[in-house]
Amino acid sequence: MSRFRLIKAVLGPLLRVLFRPKIEGADRIPDSGPVILAGNHLTFIDSMILPLVTTRQVFFIGKDEYVTGKSLKGRLMAWFFTGAGMIPVDRDGGRGGVAALMTGRRILEEGHPFAIYPEGTRSPDGRLYRGRTGIARLALMTGAPVVPFAMIGTDKVQPDGKGLPRIGGGRISIRFGAPLDFSRYEGMDRDRYVLRAVTDEVMSEVMELSGQEYVDVYATKAKAA
């Protein structure tokens, strides 16, 4: 049994018992081939829940600090995240974004699902913030369809993204939308107006699925302010 299947077999039932997740539209994820899953990001456990509710193993970028801890907690986190599909990347510095983009492209070209949070960081207040255009670059460079998704209620289970999830913090929902096809923009992955249009279309779908208020500002700027 692969580590991914072991993680799902052990933690999947525990997730269902503790948080009673309501999963909608999971059948919209293609059974094979590359696909980009693009969604909102409310709290730390979003990246723990997503791999447990999808049939296919989903790969995603994560901070390398999640897999470098030497304590028992650090080693358990490394075992879970790398087994669940996380690819550690040093995202600090000027080349962090490029490394993440190229890693996503490689995963998609190998025919796997790749998950991304277009906001680039967790929402500071539960609202949905402006998406960064890396999602559009990936879609146009690879031709992969984009399946939008929304996490709902995870911020109530783990407020501020800190500490252990609260048992009884409420029921969570994960909604997947219809695949978005951007083949009409083939060859235009360097056109900044096209990249913004594609990104905004994805974020509009995420907003519809999540019901969040939209803020046309980058979340990093909101946090800095």
Side-chain angles (χ1 to χ4, degrees), residues 1-153:
M1 179 182 290
S2 69
R3 199 173 359 152
F4 171 66
R5 294 188 180 279
L6 177 61
I7 288 171
K8 286 200 67 172
V10 173
L11 297 184
L14 184 62
L15 173 72
R16 289 192 289 272
V17 169
L18 295 180
F19 304 116
R20 301 174 294 119
K22 182 179 180 182
I23 305 166
E24 302 176 29
D27 57 339
R28 289 170 162 168
I29 301 173
D31 293 331
S32 61
V35 59
I36 301 170
L37 305 182
N40 61 337
H41 196 11
L42 295 173
T43 190
F44 177 78
I45 61 170
D46 294 339
S47 296
M48 302 178 71
I49 291 172
L50 184 62
L52 298 177
V53 301
T54 54
T55 302
R56 299 175 65 188
Q57 182 170 13
V58 175
F59 293 88
F60 55 97
I61 297 295
K63 297 179 181 178
D64 57 355
E65 64 191 62
Y66 292 160
V67 299
T68 56
K70 301 301 181 183
S71 64
L72 176 60
K73 177 183 177 182
R75 291 177 181 177
L76 287 173
M77 285 179 62
W79 183 87
F80 172 83
F81 279 119
T82 56
M86 191 193 97
I87 301 171
V89 170
D90 182 359
R91 296 187 298 178
D92 295 329
R95 298 191 59 82
V98 175
L101 185 67
M102 291 301 101
T103 299
R105 181 176 184 174
R106 175 177 59 82
I107 293 299
L108 291 166
E109 289 178 345
E110 291 174 356
H112 302 297
F114 182 74
I116 186 171
Y117 302 116
E119 291 169 281
T121 187
R122 295 195 296 267
S123 170
D125 55 16
R127 296 184 294 177
L128 185 68
Y129 283 79
R130 194 179 202 214
R132 295 189 175 275
T133 57
I135 172 68
R137 288 186 184 276
L138 275 179
L140 300 189
M141 284 191 301
T142 64
V146 178
V147 172
F149 72 88
M151 292 283 183
I152 302 170

Side-chain angles (χ1 to χ4, degrees), residues 128 150 152 175 202-212:
L128 185 68
I152 302 170
R175 295 175 181 163
V202 172
M203 298 309 290
S204 177
E205 292 296 322
V206 174
M207 180 180 67
E208 288 295 323
L209 290 167
S210 69
Q212 291 170 281

Side-chain angles (χ1 to χ4, degrees), residues 140 181-189 193-195 197-198 201:
L140 300 189
D181 176 17
F182 295 107
S183 59
R184 62 190 182 277
Y185 296 123
E186 183 179 0
M188 303 176 72
D189 59 282
Y193 296 106
V194 169
L195 294 176
V198 169
E201 183 175 339

